Amino acid sequence: MKMIIRITLIALVTLSFFTPPSNEVNAQPPVHDPLMHARSYFDQRHYFLAIQAIDEVLQDSQNQKAHGRAYGMKGIILLLMQRYSEAEKDLLRALELTDEAYHKADYADSLGVLYQKMREPNKAKQYFDLALTQAGTNTTQVLKIQLNRLRTQPQLAEQSQLETWLSEISTMQSQEERVRYYMSLAAIAAHQKQTISIAQTALEKAYRDNTLPADGQIQLELLDSLADLYEKQGNEQQALRLSEQASHLSNQLDADDLMIQIEWRKGRIYQRQGRDNDALFAYRKAIEHIQVLRRDIPITYENGRSSFRETLGPIYSDYTNLLLKKSSLQAGMAKQQILQLARQTIEQLKQSELEDFLGGRCLIEGLQRSELELIDSRAAVLYPIILPDRLELLVTTHQEIQQYTVPVPAQAVSDAAEKLSHLLRQYAEFPEPLRADDFRQYSEQLYHWLIAPLAPVLLNQTIKTLVVVPDGILRLVPFAALSDGKNYLIEKIAIVISPGINLASPVDRQQLSHYQSLLAGLSHAGPVVNKLQSSAVQSFLNNPLEQGHTKTRRVRSLFNKTLRKHNAQTPNELAPKATAPSNHADNEQELRERLSLPGVEAELAQLKQKLKNTTLINDQFTTQNFYHQVSEKPYEIIHIASHGVFSSDANNSFIIAYDDVLKLDDLKAFLQRKRHSQGSIQLLTFSACNTAEGDDRAPLGFAGAALKAEAQAALGSLWPVSDEDVPLLMSKFYENLTQQVSKTESLRLAQLELLKHPEMNHPAIWSPFILVGNWL
């Protein structure tokens, strides 16, 4: 994540724009320069205030001459904030309005950096070439452009060229320029073993050169870069000395973004030295800095993965690891306090991860012990924490937090979870008798690790509901299917999944016995077939789902194979686009056949007899009709039976209506209402949606849908389910629910009903359904 390590590449982008050309280095800005306030805010890293000041200049029609610089400054700030599309627009406008070659070169260089970040190499090359042309013989500016261009391909840097640039930098008149250029050169040289010495020389020169205390931010960046290099070289004492020096300097500055990395480094080194208390303090400081910036940290995705989990998640894990190590040596109240802190840390990580999935910073409160006591004294909350060398289980009841340490490496847990999920999913789609028991060894192994240690507590405290807050790959595991060798877990206890969402207050079931419900379903598709992206449709049509298997099922899923194949490489390529219809008229009939779900009509017919309802089926289930219904009436249950999928990115999670697709953001617009007059949605059910295989972020889609709809809970499936089996499960679930039985117990009883049925008793059929959120 680019917020935690300030990249001197970007600093070089801004440097020449805010610094006059070398032949004007002593020039002062005009006394009444309208952009001086923006520059001041920028120097303090107050980007939003800087943009406000710039916008005031742009609104002044009497000062057209300043507009070019204003657009350029705003574009660079937006680039720093990773708001790339907005930055592109303003930088192009600045390039258009500017006549001076020096500034044209600067804006073109910034656009080159922008297109590097947007992964458009051809455009990046085009604008870097333009920048070099405009820079002409200005050696300082040429060097800046060349360094920026190399930052994404440091392996192309030649040692002789780096040595020449090192010499050129030493001749620059501006100390700030020299320090910045040394740091940028070092960042490139550090990527190759043969040029690491050049990186060290450049940073040490910058360190000796940085004698003016005017810009503490530059000093911090320099200390961080040099400490990082020393740590990589194994010179931990020097790395620690510089990091501690940076911590002392930071007390005088507002530099949370830089201090995240610095404190994290201190924690790592302290931990390796056996100074665990010092390491805990450093990790805690790093997390405090993250929490200050959390809502301002840009969200980016790499191969569909959240930037937060990949880059900042390890800090939380390292801190939790040490806390749990320390707690294992404590007892009584001291142990409880440490365990509460560990649980809070995990909740903070899960909160930010869910916010990343949703693409924005929303307020999500973590699960609190006090709320658990008020809501359900017969419930326990399980936090499985996967660490490199062990599995830690935190079990919270209304009495206390229990800690169980299982000596099993992370890779073994990950392998078993992935195998269990894959084998059950595979059997659900292609049920072959010879493979019916393949899953059992993994089911029993995971039970031994995850459930057996806490079984005595659950029994002694007569726990009826287990709330699981799964970690990473464990989100793919249907906990209901874990087995002790004789019985499945669902036969012993009700199970609910929580991603860390705040639990609501208890529900008055006497007032909800006739749940006002909206039932929407699609047994055959309409015009939506022409609004699905062509590449995804073709992949689905060409997938030989029914070849080579002794028995097949019509499963309720769409693109499950497609997303599995492509999601890790090009997630955005497969999202349905209503504005870009595909040309697959020749395959339309086959596609409609693949999308047909005859069981939906039977499902809704049964539910209509059990719930007070409004029903939208087939051509009635249009996006407009759906929107009208949920906007006008206070539905407590919204049940959607249609193809759909939840993937690693909320933007690629969708449901098919008759005429168009509903994406997660559409659900937010459709389902959020004036709660003070209409009450809340108690349950949002997706009886035909599933999560993309192998993607441990995909189950967040259920929680995300409930959160965006401001619903109490969501019910959905982890993998494709049989169109013939779903109606029975759903019918039993709602029948139980209308008898004042809790949501999670209603699901448990419905799953047990299928477990008794000779043709439906395999866990591949009943275990993928999970309840997320409030279980009451």
Side-chain angles (χ1 to χ4, degrees):
M1 180 173 294
K2 307 311 184 267
M3 283 290 291
I4 66 172
I5 307 176
R6 185 173 297 278
I7 291 188
T8 50
L9 150 70
I10 302 296
L12 281 182
V13 171
T14 65
L15 180 63
S16 66
F17 180 69
F18 294 124
T19 304
S22 56
N23 61 349
E24 302 174 19
V25 73
N26 296 318
Q28 298 297 319
V31 176
H32 300 294
D33 185 349
L35 293 175
M36 286 183 64
H37 287 300
R39 168 64 193 267
S40 177
Y41 287 135
F42 175 85
D43 289 342
Q44 300 172 61
R45 275 64 177 178
H46 294 160
Y47 297 147
F48 287 103
L49 292 176
I51 288 176
Q52 289 178 9
I54 293 169
D55 286 341
E56 290 179 6
V57 174
L58 293 173
Q59 292 169 10
D60 183 2
S61 60
Q62 303 299 317
N63 195 9
Q64 295 288 329
K65 290 184 178 180
H67 282 195
R69 289 176 55 224
Y71 278 117
M73 186 185 296
K74 186 177 179 181
I76 288 171
I77 293 172
L78 290 169
L79 174 56
L80 277 166
M81 297 172 71
Q82 300 185 33
R83 291 162 58 176
Y84 297 142
S85 59
E86 297 170 79
E88 178 185 27
K89 177 181 176 182
D90 286 334
L91 287 171
L92 288 172
R93 183 67 173 148
L95 190 63
E96 177 187 350
L97 293 175
T98 301
D99 295 327
E100 297 88 347
Y102 177 83
H103 289 303
K104 275 188 173 294
D106 189 51
Y107 302 143
D109 178 48
S110 299
L111 283 163
V113 171
L114 171 71
Y115 289 123
Q116 280 181 332
K117 307 304 293 178
M118 295 175 69
R119 298 188 178 183
E120 297 188 39
N122 292 335
K123 283 189 177 181
K125 180 181 184 303
Q126 172 189 343
Y127 282 97
F128 279 134
D129 289 346
L130 174 61
L132 288 171
T133 299
Q134 293 293 327
T137 59
N138 187 322
T139 56
T140 299
Q141 196 171 34
V142 167
L143 176 56
K144 174 181 74 74
I145 297 165
Q146 290 172 328
L147 289 174
N148 280 341
R149 180 158 60 177
L150 270 177
R151 283 300 293 265
T152 57
Q153 295 180 303
Q155 69 279 5
L156 299 181
E158 297 180 1
Q159 184 171 347
S160 60
Q161 183 64 70
L162 293 176
E163 291 172 345
T164 299
W165 288 342
L166 188 64
S167 177
E168 289 180 7
I169 293 171
S170 65
T171 65
M172 293 180 181
Q173 297 181 38
S174 166
Q175 174 191 294
E176 181 179 350
E177 278 191 345
R178 289 196 303 272
V179 172
R180 289 289 191 190
Y181 279 77
Y182 278 137
M183 290 168 64
S184 190
L185 177 65
I188 295 171
H191 279 273
Q192 298 186 78
K193 186 176 181 180
Q194 63 270 26
T195 57
I196 193 72
S197 60
I198 296 177
Q200 183 171 342
T201 300
L203 289 176
E204 289 175 345
K205 280 179 173 290
Y207 184 66
R208 292 192 298 269
D209 202 7
N210 190 34
T211 57
L212 299 178
D215 193 337
Q217 293 279 347
I218 293 180
Q219 293 184 56
L220 278 181
E221 291 177 41
L222 179 54
L223 290 170
D224 179 37
S225 298
L226 194 51
D228 181 63
L229 182 63
Y230 284 143
E231 184 187 19
K232 290 176 179 176
Q233 292 178 326
N235 189 347
E236 292 195 342
Q237 284 303 113
Q238 277 287 72
L240 185 57
R241 181 182 66 82
L242 292 174
S243 297
E244 289 174 337
Q245 183 180 340
S247 292
H248 179 73
L249 177 62
S250 72
N251 294 330
Q252 309 163 32
L253 300 168
D254 180 13
D256 293 288
D257 54 344
L258 285 168
M259 293 313 301
I260 293 170
Q261 179 72 8
I262 291 168
E263 294 294 345
W264 187 14
R265 180 183 305 109
K266 288 168 57 181
R268 292 194 301 269
I269 297 175
Y270 286 142
Q271 187 174 0
R272 288 194 289 266
Q273 293 179 347
R275 299 164 59 181
D276 285 359
N277 287 334
D278 289 333
L280 281 169
F281 183 79
Y283 285 141
R284 180 171 64 81
K285 293 291 290 183
I287 290 174
E288 287 175 355
H289 289 300
I290 294 173
Q291 293 302 111
V292 170
L293 292 174
R294 188 170 57 83
R295 290 181 177 83
D296 295 320
I297 293 176
I299 299 169
T300 57
Y301 293 91
E302 184 74 21
N303 294 333
R305 306 296 299 176
S306 161
S307 59
F308 191 96
R309 182 79 190 206
E310 296 300 312
T311 57
L312 293 179
I315 303 178
Y316 291 80
S317 297
D318 289 346
Y319 184 45
T320 303
N321 190 348
L322 270 187
L323 285 172
L324 295 174
K325 178 182 174 182
K326 183 175 182 179
S327 68
S328 65
L329 305 175
Q330 304 291 323
M333 185 56 68
K335 183 181 184 73
Q336 287 297 303
Q337 289 175 347
I338 297 174
L339 291 177
Q340 288 174 11
L341 184 55
R343 185 184 63 184
Q344 176 186 343
T345 303
I346 292 300
E347 284 292 339
Q348 288 175 337
L349 175 59
K350 292 186 179 301
Q351 174 179 342
S352 290
E353 189 172 22
L354 182 55
E355 290 172 341
D356 270 12
F357 174 81
L358 295 174
R361 300 303 181 198
C362 50
L363 297 177
I364 308 170
E365 296 298 330
L367 184 65
Q368 301 296 324
R369 184 186 178 200
S370 60
E371 293 168 337
L372 179 61
E373 292 175 344
L374 292 173
I375 291 175
D376 190 353
S377 63
R378 305 289 292 278
V381 183
L382 169 62
Y383 295 77
I385 303 169
I386 303 175
L387 297 171
D389 62 336
R390 68 194 191 280
L391 176 66
E392 292 277 6
L393 307 175
L394 299 187
V395 184
T396 304
T397 67
H398 67 288
Q399 295 181 2
E400 61 181 354
I401 306 175
Q402 299 273 4
Q403 177 186 6
Y404 302 92
T405 302
V406 183
V408 55
Q411 191 59 54
V413 176
S414 178
D415 290 345
E418 188 172 7
K419 280 285 189 181
L420 177 62
S421 173
H422 173 71
L423 290 172
L424 289 176
R425 177 187 286 256
Q426 189 178 45
Y427 186 84
E429 295 183 57
F430 312 117
E432 293 184 353
L434 293 177
R435 295 192 320 214
D437 294 327
D438 288 353
F439 74 97
R440 290 192 179 278
Q441 69 178 97
Y442 305 106
S443 170
E444 293 175 16
Q445 186 66 77
L446 288 170
Y447 183 96
H448 175 71
W449 291 334
L450 293 164
I451 305 300
L454 51 119
V457 170
L458 302 180
L459 179 62
N460 293 338
Q461 298 190 27
T462 60
I463 298 299
K464 298 298 183 183
T465 301
L466 181 63
V467 184
V468 183
V469 187
D471 185 32
I473 192 70
L474 293 180
R475 283 192 289 251
L476 299 177
V477 172
F479 277 74
L482 300 189
S483 171
D484 63 2
K486 296 181 179 179
N487 301 104
Y488 294 109
L489 182 58
I490 197 65
E491 297 180 79
K492 304 177 181 181
I493 195 169
I495 303 164
V496 67
I497 302 300
S498 172
I501 294 178
N502 185 36
L503 301 177
S505 301
V507 177
D508 184 352
R509 302 204 162 275
Q510 294 298 324
Q511 298 180 11
L512 296 175
S513 59
H514 299 293
Y515 288 105
Q516 189 74 248
S517 307
L518 174 64
L519 310 177
L522 203 65
S523 65
H524 59 269
V528 68
V529 298
N530 295 314
K531 296 184 179 181
L532 298 172
Q533 191 162 338
S534 182
S535 59
V537 171
Q538 288 302 319
S539 296
F540 178 71
L541 290 174
N542 294 334
N543 190 18
L545 291 177
E546 301 182 1
Q547 296 180 8
H549 298 277
T550 59
K551 182 181 178 183
T552 60
R553 299 175 184 269
R554 180 183 292 278
V555 294
R556 297 186 174 194
S557 66
L558 176 65
F559 305 145
N560 51 300
K561 299 288 185 181
T562 303
L563 284 168
R564 183 186 316 165
K565 179 180 179 181
H566 296 288
N567 186 56
Q569 298 175 338
T570 54
N572 292 328
E573 179 183 326
L574 298 170
K577 296 182 179 179
T579 56
S582 58
N583 296 317
H584 46 261
D586 294 341
N587 298 315
E588 183 174 326
Q589 187 57 39
E590 182 182 358
L591 180 59
R592 289 184 184 278
E593 172 59 25
R594 292 287 186 113
L595 293 177
S596 67
L597 291 172
V600 166
E601 295 187 21
E603 176 183 338
L604 296 191
Q606 293 182 38
L607 299 187
K608 287 171 68 174
Q609 298 176 17
K610 302 179 184 300
L611 299 167
K612 187 176 180 180
N613 69 88
T614 298
T615 300
L616 302 176
I617 188 165
N618 294 331
D619 59 354
Q620 298 170 341
F621 180 24
T622 63
T623 55
Q624 184 62 34
N625 284 347
F626 185 76
Y627 172 78
H628 175 75
Q629 287 294 329
V630 298
S631 299
E632 296 297 322
K633 296 182 181 180
Y635 293 111
E636 294 162 334
I637 292 177
I638 296 178
H639 180 101
I640 302 175
S642 177
H643 285 296
V645 72
F646 291 105
S647 72
S648 63
D649 186 347
N651 291 326
N652 293 328
S653 300
F654 63 91
I655 298 162
I656 294 181
Y658 184 77
D659 62 331
D660 212 331
V661 294
L662 292 172
K663 299 181 75 172
L664 215 52
D665 280 340
D666 297 331
L667 287 176
K668 177 180 180 179
F670 289 168
L671 298 179
Q672 282 186 336
R673 306 187 306 256
K674 296 180 179 178
R675 298 289 182 236
H676 65 274
S677 61
Q678 296 186 335
S680 63
I681 298 171
Q682 291 297 313
L683 180 65
L684 184 58
T685 299
F686 305 100
S687 75
C689 296
N690 69 94
T691 62
E693 182 176 6
D695 186 345
D696 62 31
R697 282 172 48 87
L700 291 176
F702 298 143
L707 185 65
K708 289 211 169 192
E710 296 182 4
Q712 297 283 311
L715 174 63
S717 176
L718 289 172
W719 56 72
V721 288
S722 167
D723 188 44
E724 293 81 15
D725 299 336
V726 175
L728 176 59
L729 184 139
M730 287 297 165
S731 176
K732 292 295 182 181
F733 169 72
Y734 285 113
E735 180 180 324
N736 298 327
L737 197 62
T738 56
Q739 301 301 315
Q740 288 86 51
V741 179
S742 70
K743 301 183 190 79
T744 186
E745 184 64 13
S746 295
L747 177 59
R748 174 177 177 266
L749 293 174
Q751 289 174 316
L752 291 178
E753 193 72 28
L754 267 63
L755 185 57
K756 298 174 185 176
H757 199 292
E759 294 185 3
M760 302 180 186
N761 60 7
H762 196 282
I765 298 173
W766 50 263
S767 74
F769 286 95
I770 61 171
L771 181 71
V772 177
N774 189 304
W775 64 88
L776 297 175

